[in-house]
């Protein structure tokens, strides 16, 4: 082992992290300034970005949110739909507006976001004025009337809920969704098989979800992995499955993407 490598091994991790922050600070500041000069909504502080992405990088925050919004548009377009055509749209689990910010210049829908972290919602209310925001509880009704929305998306939400909460929230989202409306949501699917233990992999391949740290539901500490068939037969029960896009490292997301539709009421 060379001298440089030996020295690196003796440097405390917190020193390395501090050095990395200082190293990236000029680039991050330039990104924040450039973002405002372009007339875009401000970027959240690093600590709030970390809460929703696991990274303090504003670059990653912007890119991942933009990619997710583009993926939503692309899947809708595949079925001759445009987000502008919906009268009301809900970002369920909106966090600190990672995806929501990219709709700021999109005209048509009434925009709404909800999250159970009040700190994130406070920031959204102050800086994303084009949308209305609410704080929800982990397992309580949302403050919206029945049949309010035509489109709801939930990016990386069902990936952090135990089964009981998954069932509760799909029913609650169905309640506030208009007949004929759509839900777009993501799950951890086959792409994540390599991250599972042999026992977990066997459970997953038998058609059952794998849930880690159930007691931490609602946070990133709880991680859920869903077989496709389970999602469509159990979570999406009562809905029409419109499309499914498996996660991969070549497309827009490693998450599986599901687009489901609430059946229209026959007159």
């Amino acid at each position: 082992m060379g001298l440089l490598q030996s020295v690196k091994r003796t440097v405390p991790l917190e020193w390395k992290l501090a050095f990395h922050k200082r190293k990236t600070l000029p680039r991050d500041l330039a990104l924040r300034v450039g973002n405002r000069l372009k007339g875009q909504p401000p970027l959240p502080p690093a600590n709030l970005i970390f809460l929703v992405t696991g990274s303090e990088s504003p670059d990653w925050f912007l890119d991942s949110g933009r990619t997710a919004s583009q993926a939503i548009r692309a899947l809708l377009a595949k079925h001759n739909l445009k987000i502008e055509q919906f009268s009301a749209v809900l970002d369920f689990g909106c966090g600190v507006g990672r995806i929501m910010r990219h709709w700021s210049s999109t005209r048509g829908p009434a925009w709404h976001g909800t999250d159970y972290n009040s700190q994130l919602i406070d920031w959204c209310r102050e800086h994303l004025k084009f949308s209305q925001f609410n704080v929800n509880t982990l397992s309580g009704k949302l403050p919206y009337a029945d049949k309010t929305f035509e489109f709801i998306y939930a990016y990386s939400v069902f990936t952090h809920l135990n089964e009981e909460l998954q069932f509760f929230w799909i029913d609650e989202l169905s309640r506030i969704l208009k007949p004929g409306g759509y839900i777009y949501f993501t799950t951890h699917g086959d792409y994540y098989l390599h991250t599972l233990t042999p026992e977990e992999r066997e459970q997953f391949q038998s058609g059952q979800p794998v849930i880690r740290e159930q007691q931490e539901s609602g946070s990133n500490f709880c991680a859920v992995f869903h077989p496709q068939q389970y999602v469509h037969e159990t979570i999406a029960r009562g809905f029409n499955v419109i499309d499914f896009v498996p996660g991969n490292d070549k497309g827009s997301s490693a998450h599986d993407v599901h687009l489901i539709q609430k059946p229209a009421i026959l007159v």
Side-chain angles (χ1 to χ4, degrees):
M1 181 183 297
L3 177 61
L4 180 59
Q5 285 74 22
S6 298
V7 171
K8 283 183 177 180
R9 288 173 66 91
T10 65
V11 177
L13 178 60
E14 57 269 25
W15 290 15
K16 294 178 181 178
L17 293 175
F19 175 77
H20 178 72
K21 282 187 178 181
R22 180 168 294 184
K23 183 179 178 182
T24 60
L25 183 59
R27 185 181 64 193
D28 291 351
L29 287 175
L31 180 65
R32 289 178 179 277
V33 172
N35 179 72
R36 295 304 287 142
L37 289 175
K38 293 176 183 177
Q40 299 300 313
L43 284 160
N47 65 310
L48 297 188
I49 289 177
F50 181 82
L51 284 178
V52 298
T53 67
S55 165
E56 293 185 348
S57 167
D59 195 14
W60 167 246
F61 178 81
L62 276 177
D63 284 349
S64 61
R66 183 183 301 109
T67 298
S69 68
Q70 290 171 346
I72 291 172
R73 280 192 177 278
L75 193 60
L76 289 175
K78 182 179 175 182
H79 299 279
N80 298 314
L81 299 168
K82 292 184 177 180
I83 201 158
E84 289 86 352
Q85 76 185 60
F86 301 124
S87 61
V89 174
L90 175 66
D91 183 334
F92 177 62
C94 65
V96 73
R98 176 166 53 147
I99 299 175
M100 178 65 81
R101 64 182 295 110
H102 295 284
W103 309 124
S104 63
S105 61
T106 303
R107 301 293 175 254
W111 297 100
H112 296 264
T114 184
D115 197 279
Y116 90 115
N117 186 319
S118 60
Q119 186 181 13
L120 303 181
I121 291 299
D122 286 344
W123 189 92
C124 287
R125 284 172 171 165
E126 182 177 356
H127 298 287
L128 303 178
K129 299 290 189 180
F130 69 94
S131 179
Q132 297 294 316
F133 294 94
N134 281 295
V135 178
N136 60 268
T137 62
L138 188 58
S139 58
K141 290 184 66 173
L142 293 170
Y144 306 110
D146 295 357
K147 305 174 185 177
T148 297
F149 299 98
E150 290 182 328
F151 184 64
I152 299 171
Y153 63 90
Y155 192 92
S156 194
V157 175
F158 287 88
T159 51
H160 303 293
L161 299 174
N162 64 34
E163 275 192 291
E164 181 180 357
L165 287 173
Q166 291 175 42
F167 296 149
F168 171 81
W169 281 115
I170 198 66
D171 288 343
E172 179 63 1
L173 296 182
S174 179
R175 177 186 71 80
I176 63 175
L177 186 67
K178 291 182 178 181
Y182 299 87
I183 299 177
Y184 174 111
F185 67 102
T186 70
T187 57
H188 294 143
D190 286 355
Y191 180 80
Y192 290 87
L193 270 176
H194 69 283
T195 69
L196 304 182
T197 66
E199 294 77 13
E200 290 173 335
R201 194 176 300 117
E202 182 179 356
Q203 180 177 334
F204 183 96
Q205 292 177 328
S206 73
Q208 294 302 310
V210 172
I211 305 176
R212 295 175 177 170
E213 304 295 337
Q214 296 200 39
Q215 71 279 7
E216 299 289 345
S217 285
S219 77
N220 288 337
F221 294 108
C222 174
V224 186
F225 306 86
H226 294 88
Q228 174 191 349
Q229 186 174 358
Y230 173 90
V231 174
H232 294 169
E233 294 182 356
T234 306
I235 297 179
R237 68 196 187 285
F239 286 83
N240 299 319
V241 177
I242 302 302
D243 210 334
F244 168 73
V245 182
N248 60 77
D249 57 5
K250 299 177 182 178
S252 59
S253 176
H255 288 203
D256 287 353
V257 174
H258 312 265
L259 181 65
I260 59 178
Q261 183 181 30
K262 183 176 180 178
I265 296 177
L266 298 177
V267 180

